[in-house]
Amino acid sequence: MTQPELEALAADAYVYGYPLVSSLTMVERFTQGGLGVLPAAPFNGFSHATRLAQPEDTFVSVNNDTVYSIAQLDFSEGPQVLHVPDTAGAYYVLQFVGAWTDNFAYVGRRATGTGERTWLIVPPGWHGTPSGGRENVIVSPTAVATIVGRFACTGPDDLPRVRALQDGLTLAPLEPGGLAAGLPEPDPEVPERLAFFERLRVWMAAFPPAGPDIEYQQRFAPLGLLDAGPSPYRAAAPEWTLALLKGLAAGRERVEDATRPPEDHPAGEWRSALHLFDYNVDFLGPGTLDDPEWRIPDRRAAYLSRAAAARAGLWGNHAYESVYAMTYDDADGRPLSGAHAYTLRFDEPPPAGAFWSVTMYSLPDYYLVANPLGRYSVGDRTPGLVYGEGGSLTLLLQHERPADPAAAANWLPTPEGGFRPIIRIYQPTPAALDGTYRVPPIRRI
């Protein structure tokens, strides 16, 4: 294989494998050190946040609407029994994510209601007989998985209610006495510049994807990704290493490009991620919609969508659970920057069956923006907003605090430099999913 062919193959491997490496790196981070307000927790145990996310919680596009409860599952300990409490109608969702970032099940207000319930979560290929019936079984596509729990929270005064619900959210092994093996460890002697490929090699073997994807993986044999013995990256030949590194850079740029708006998109238009998470077509369990509308039929196109989703919104929901839309520029097509002030006017509220919000993120990291007000998002649950005639709402987006009290009430602080806001619509109604509703553009003052 020629050097250019190796580089092109390495770029494809990066796009294909980035979600697995990104997701399991985050799994590792959660089990070993935690993340911001979420303390470290062992496999098969929940880590509960005790407040809403803040800028020090450096997770890509983290929301500021819900309090997180996150568990990393390892089925080497056997199936897990999940108990969910009665939330008395309040919004919550437990999103089940496989190692390759497939959203394979949902439990919560939209999917299964808000009543108390017990579920059995089992590994791929499990053939046991559940005592509660198959309708209460969730099958994971991989031997490790993640539960991302989100409880709606209106602010500090609502935290006691949420904490009581978190206490009622439990995991326990079906058969006690097992031991979670955890993630297989990549070779620590591999140089850092090739660590991505080493992680992909080890984790790809440990957590195989769907059958058609396994077939696609065979083409990566010349990159050493199918080697089962000692790592081929410890003392790799210089020419081969150079090809891998060039491919790595090209693949990374391809993923970054996929997260940016197309050059020909209408000025100021919000990019909706309605189908960004539709790459999972193989593992559709309880709470998912098994419908052609929510599938990306072209697998190779789905690999890039999956990578872009992992880069800009790791562990995000399908749009039928919550709609995400984002924009990088104003109504005249100019990049958004904290050097200017903007307005965002809603003549009518976004079509949410639960609630909606606009959250501010910095570039290029997509983290929450620190500000003296401690306000990271604004939405229909934000206290003290000033509404106009007919129920319209005009938000002010700028870096400095407005002098006018009415403007300050509707202020969403921006960073000094570039920024990208996201609007979230939880439990979207049909108007949010069929294109009827369009988020209004941001206008520079």
PDB file of all heavy atoms in Angstrom, residues 43 54-55 63 66 129 150 152 208 238 243 267 280 289 316 324 327 384 423:
ATOM      1  N   PHE A  43     -17.636   1.272  38.319  1.00  0.00           N
ATOM      2  CA  PHE A  43     -18.584   0.695  37.371  1.00  0.00           C
ATOM      3  C   PHE A  43     -19.797   0.144  38.116  1.00  0.00           C
ATOM      4  O   PHE A  43     -19.693  -0.353  39.235  1.00  0.00           O
ATOM      5  CB  PHE A  43     -17.930  -0.427  36.562  1.00  0.00           C
ATOM      6  CG  PHE A  43     -17.102   0.074  35.410  1.00  0.00           C
ATOM      7  CD1 PHE A  43     -15.726   0.121  35.515  1.00  0.00           C
ATOM      8  CD2 PHE A  43     -17.694   0.499  34.233  1.00  0.00           C
ATOM      9  CE1 PHE A  43     -14.945   0.569  34.457  1.00  0.00           C
ATOM     10  CE2 PHE A  43     -16.932   0.963  33.170  1.00  0.00           C
ATOM     11  CZ  PHE A  43     -15.562   1.004  33.267  1.00  0.00           C
ATOM     12  N   GLN A  54     -21.702  23.868  35.667  1.00  0.00           N
ATOM     13  CA  GLN A  54     -21.073  25.183  35.644  1.00  0.00           C
ATOM     14  C   GLN A  54     -19.818  25.119  34.760  1.00  0.00           C
ATOM     15  O   GLN A  54     -19.449  24.037  34.294  1.00  0.00           O
ATOM     16  CB  GLN A  54     -20.731  25.606  37.078  1.00  0.00           C
ATOM     17  CG  GLN A  54     -21.964  25.810  37.947  1.00  0.00           C
ATOM     18  CD  GLN A  54     -21.629  26.245  39.352  1.00  0.00           C
ATOM     19  OE1 GLN A  54     -20.481  26.490  39.696  1.00  0.00           O
ATOM     20  NE2 GLN A  54     -22.656  26.339  40.196  1.00  0.00           N
ATOM     21  N   PRO A  55     -19.159  26.251  34.501  1.00  0.00           N
ATOM     22  CA  PRO A  55     -18.015  26.255  33.580  1.00  0.00           C
ATOM     23  C   PRO A  55     -16.891  25.296  33.944  1.00  0.00           C
ATOM     24  O   PRO A  55     -16.184  24.815  33.058  1.00  0.00           O
ATOM     25  CB  PRO A  55     -17.542  27.713  33.633  1.00  0.00           C
ATOM     26  CG  PRO A  55     -18.774  28.489  33.932  1.00  0.00           C
ATOM     27  CD  PRO A  55     -19.545  27.626  34.890  1.00  0.00           C
ATOM     28  N   ASN A  63     -25.362  20.480  29.397  1.00  0.00           N
ATOM     29  CA  ASN A  63     -26.541  21.344  29.571  1.00  0.00           C
ATOM     30  C   ASN A  63     -26.594  21.926  30.976  1.00  0.00           C
ATOM     31  O   ASN A  63     -25.977  21.407  31.908  1.00  0.00           O
ATOM     32  CB  ASN A  63     -27.837  20.598  29.199  1.00  0.00           C
ATOM     33  CG  ASN A  63     -28.396  19.753  30.327  1.00  0.00           C
ATOM     34  OD1 ASN A  63     -28.704  20.245  31.412  1.00  0.00           O
ATOM     35  ND2 ASN A  63     -28.560  18.466  30.074  1.00  0.00           N
ATOM     36  N   THR A  66     -30.662  20.466  33.514  1.00  0.00           N
ATOM     37  CA  THR A  66     -30.962  19.267  34.283  1.00  0.00           C
ATOM     38  C   THR A  66     -29.785  18.919  35.183  1.00  0.00           C
ATOM     39  O   THR A  66     -28.641  19.261  34.893  1.00  0.00           O
ATOM     40  CB  THR A  66     -31.258  18.070  33.361  1.00  0.00           C
ATOM     41  OG1 THR A  66     -30.087  17.750  32.613  1.00  0.00           O
ATOM     42  CG2 THR A  66     -32.403  18.384  32.397  1.00  0.00           C
ATOM     43  N   THR A 129     -33.561 -15.944  31.713  1.00  0.00           N
ATOM     44  CA  THR A 129     -35.012 -15.735  31.762  1.00  0.00           C
ATOM     45  C   THR A 129     -35.327 -14.727  32.849  1.00  0.00           C
ATOM     46  O   THR A 129     -35.192 -15.027  34.038  1.00  0.00           O
ATOM     47  CB  THR A 129     -35.741 -17.056  32.062  1.00  0.00           C
ATOM     48  OG1 THR A 129     -35.390 -18.025  31.071  1.00  0.00           O
ATOM     49  CG2 THR A 129     -37.254 -16.844  32.061  1.00  0.00           C
ATOM     50  N   ARG A 150     -30.841  12.561  33.368  1.00  0.00           N
ATOM     51  CA  ARG A 150     -31.053  14.005  33.461  1.00  0.00           C
ATOM     52  C   ARG A 150     -32.381  14.263  34.162  1.00  0.00           C
ATOM     53  O   ARG A 150     -33.421  13.821  33.684  1.00  0.00           O
ATOM     54  CB  ARG A 150     -31.068  14.648  32.068  1.00  0.00           C
ATOM     55  CG  ARG A 150     -29.802  14.445  31.244  1.00  0.00           C
ATOM     56  CD  ARG A 150     -30.006  14.956  29.822  1.00  0.00           C
ATOM     57  NE  ARG A 150     -28.814  14.887  28.992  1.00  0.00           N
ATOM     58  CZ  ARG A 150     -28.491  13.848  28.228  1.00  0.00           C
ATOM     59  NH1 ARG A 150     -29.281  12.779  28.216  1.00  0.00           N
ATOM     60  NH2 ARG A 150     -27.402  13.863  27.488  1.00  0.00           N
ATOM     61  N   ALA A 152     -34.908  17.271  35.366  1.00  0.00           N
ATOM     62  CA  ALA A 152     -35.194  18.691  35.223  1.00  0.00           C
ATOM     63  C   ALA A 152     -35.103  19.373  36.582  1.00  0.00           C
ATOM     64  O   ALA A 152     -35.582  18.853  37.590  1.00  0.00           O
ATOM     65  CB  ALA A 152     -36.592  18.898  34.636  1.00  0.00           C
ATOM     66  N   PRO A 208     -16.802  -5.124  20.246  1.00  0.00           N
ATOM     67  CA  PRO A 208     -17.139  -5.151  18.820  1.00  0.00           C
ATOM     68  C   PRO A 208     -18.472  -4.473  18.535  1.00  0.00           C
ATOM     69  O   PRO A 208     -19.408  -4.560  19.331  1.00  0.00           O
ATOM     70  CB  PRO A 208     -17.188  -6.642  18.496  1.00  0.00           C
ATOM     71  CG  PRO A 208     -17.365  -7.333  19.817  1.00  0.00           C
ATOM     72  CD  PRO A 208     -16.689  -6.470  20.818  1.00  0.00           C
ATOM     73  N   PRO A 238       9.459   4.699  10.899  1.00  0.00           N
ATOM     74  CA  PRO A 238       9.209   6.144  10.734  1.00  0.00           C
ATOM     75  C   PRO A 238       8.253   6.477   9.598  1.00  0.00           C
ATOM     76  O   PRO A 238       7.380   7.337   9.754  1.00  0.00           O
ATOM     77  CB  PRO A 238      10.613   6.706  10.476  1.00  0.00           C
ATOM     78  CG  PRO A 238      11.542   5.728  11.104  1.00  0.00           C
ATOM     79  CD  PRO A 238      10.907   4.387  10.931  1.00  0.00           C
ATOM     80  N   ALA A 243       2.762   8.289   8.037  1.00  0.00           N
ATOM     81  CA  ALA A 243       1.492   8.112   7.331  1.00  0.00           C
ATOM     82  C   ALA A 243       0.323   8.119   8.313  1.00  0.00           C
ATOM     83  O   ALA A 243      -0.727   8.728   8.057  1.00  0.00           O
ATOM     84  CB  ALA A 243       1.514   6.819   6.528  1.00  0.00           C
ATOM     85  N   ALA A 267     -27.808  32.912   5.909  1.00  0.00           N
ATOM     86  CA  ALA A 267     -27.237  33.745   6.976  1.00  0.00           C
ATOM     87  C   ALA A 267     -28.118  33.699   8.219  1.00  0.00           C
ATOM     88  O   ALA A 267     -29.330  33.898   8.152  1.00  0.00           O
ATOM     89  CB  ALA A 267     -27.090  35.180   6.487  1.00  0.00           C
ATOM     90  N   ASN A 280     -27.446   5.149  14.679  1.00  0.00           N
ATOM     91  CA  ASN A 280     -27.718   3.819  15.224  1.00  0.00           C
ATOM     92  C   ASN A 280     -28.909   3.202  14.481  1.00  0.00           C
ATOM     93  O   ASN A 280     -30.038   3.665  14.616  1.00  0.00           O
ATOM     94  CB  ASN A 280     -28.024   3.907  16.722  1.00  0.00           C
ATOM     95  CG  ASN A 280     -28.456   2.571  17.302  1.00  0.00           C
ATOM     96  OD1 ASN A 280     -28.153   1.508  16.756  1.00  0.00           O
ATOM     97  ND2 ASN A 280     -29.170   2.607  18.414  1.00  0.00           N
ATOM     98  N   LEU A 289     -37.236   5.018  18.662  1.00  0.00           N
ATOM     99  CA  LEU A 289     -38.206   4.948  17.574  1.00  0.00           C
ATOM    100  C   LEU A 289     -37.589   4.182  16.407  1.00  0.00           C
ATOM    101  O   LEU A 289     -36.649   4.658  15.766  1.00  0.00           O
ATOM    102  CB  LEU A 289     -38.621   6.355  17.132  1.00  0.00           C
ATOM    103  CG  LEU A 289     -39.346   7.205  18.177  1.00  0.00           C
ATOM    104  CD1 LEU A 289     -39.801   8.534  17.576  1.00  0.00           C
ATOM    105  CD2 LEU A 289     -40.536   6.462  18.782  1.00  0.00           C
ATOM    106  N   GLY A 316     -25.340  12.948  23.357  1.00  0.00           N
ATOM    107  CA  GLY A 316     -26.571  13.707  23.146  1.00  0.00           C
ATOM    108  C   GLY A 316     -27.728  12.789  22.797  1.00  0.00           C
ATOM    109  O   GLY A 316     -27.552  11.653  22.352  1.00  0.00           O
ATOM    110  N   TYR A 324     -31.914  19.793  19.495  1.00  0.00           N
ATOM    111  CA  TYR A 324     -30.800  20.718  19.650  1.00  0.00           C
ATOM    112  C   TYR A 324     -30.671  21.508  18.355  1.00  0.00           C
ATOM    113  O   TYR A 324     -30.726  20.950  17.265  1.00  0.00           O
ATOM    114  CB  TYR A 324     -29.474  19.983  19.878  1.00  0.00           C
ATOM    115  CG  TYR A 324     -29.479  18.945  20.973  1.00  0.00           C
ATOM    116  CD1 TYR A 324     -29.644  17.596  20.675  1.00  0.00           C
ATOM    117  CD2 TYR A 324     -29.292  19.301  22.294  1.00  0.00           C
ATOM    118  CE1 TYR A 324     -29.630  16.630  21.675  1.00  0.00           C
ATOM    119  CE2 TYR A 324     -29.271  18.355  23.300  1.00  0.00           C
ATOM    120  CZ  TYR A 324     -29.438  17.014  22.989  1.00  0.00           C
ATOM    121  OH  TYR A 324     -29.419  16.066  23.979  1.00  0.00           O
ATOM    122  N   THR A 327     -26.114  27.841  16.293  1.00  0.00           N
ATOM    123  CA  THR A 327     -25.719  28.774  15.250  1.00  0.00           C
ATOM    124  C   THR A 327     -24.370  29.389  15.601  1.00  0.00           C
ATOM    125  O   THR A 327     -24.024  29.521  16.790  1.00  0.00           O
ATOM    126  CB  THR A 327     -26.766  29.874  15.046  1.00  0.00           C
ATOM    127  OG1 THR A 327     -26.398  30.677  13.920  1.00  0.00           O
ATOM    128  CG2 THR A 327     -26.892  30.771  16.275  1.00  0.00           C
ATOM    129  N   GLY A 384     -37.846  35.950  36.575  1.00  0.00           N
ATOM    130  CA  GLY A 384     -37.597  37.377  36.415  1.00  0.00           C
ATOM    131  C   GLY A 384     -37.480  37.875  34.998  1.00  0.00           C
ATOM    132  O   GLY A 384     -37.161  39.058  34.790  1.00  0.00           O
ATOM    133  N   ILE A 423     -29.942  25.991  21.399  1.00  0.00           N
ATOM    134  CA  ILE A 423     -31.293  25.960  21.939  1.00  0.00           C
ATOM    135  C   ILE A 423     -31.690  24.500  22.094  1.00  0.00           C
ATOM    136  O   ILE A 423     -31.422  23.676  21.212  1.00  0.00           O
ATOM    137  CB  ILE A 423     -32.300  26.727  21.051  1.00  0.00           C
ATOM    138  CG1 ILE A 423     -33.678  26.760  21.744  1.00  0.00           C
ATOM    139  CG2 ILE A 423     -32.402  26.149  19.653  1.00  0.00           C
ATOM    140  CD1 ILE A 423     -34.660  27.707  21.091  1.00  0.00           C
TER     141      ILE A 423
END
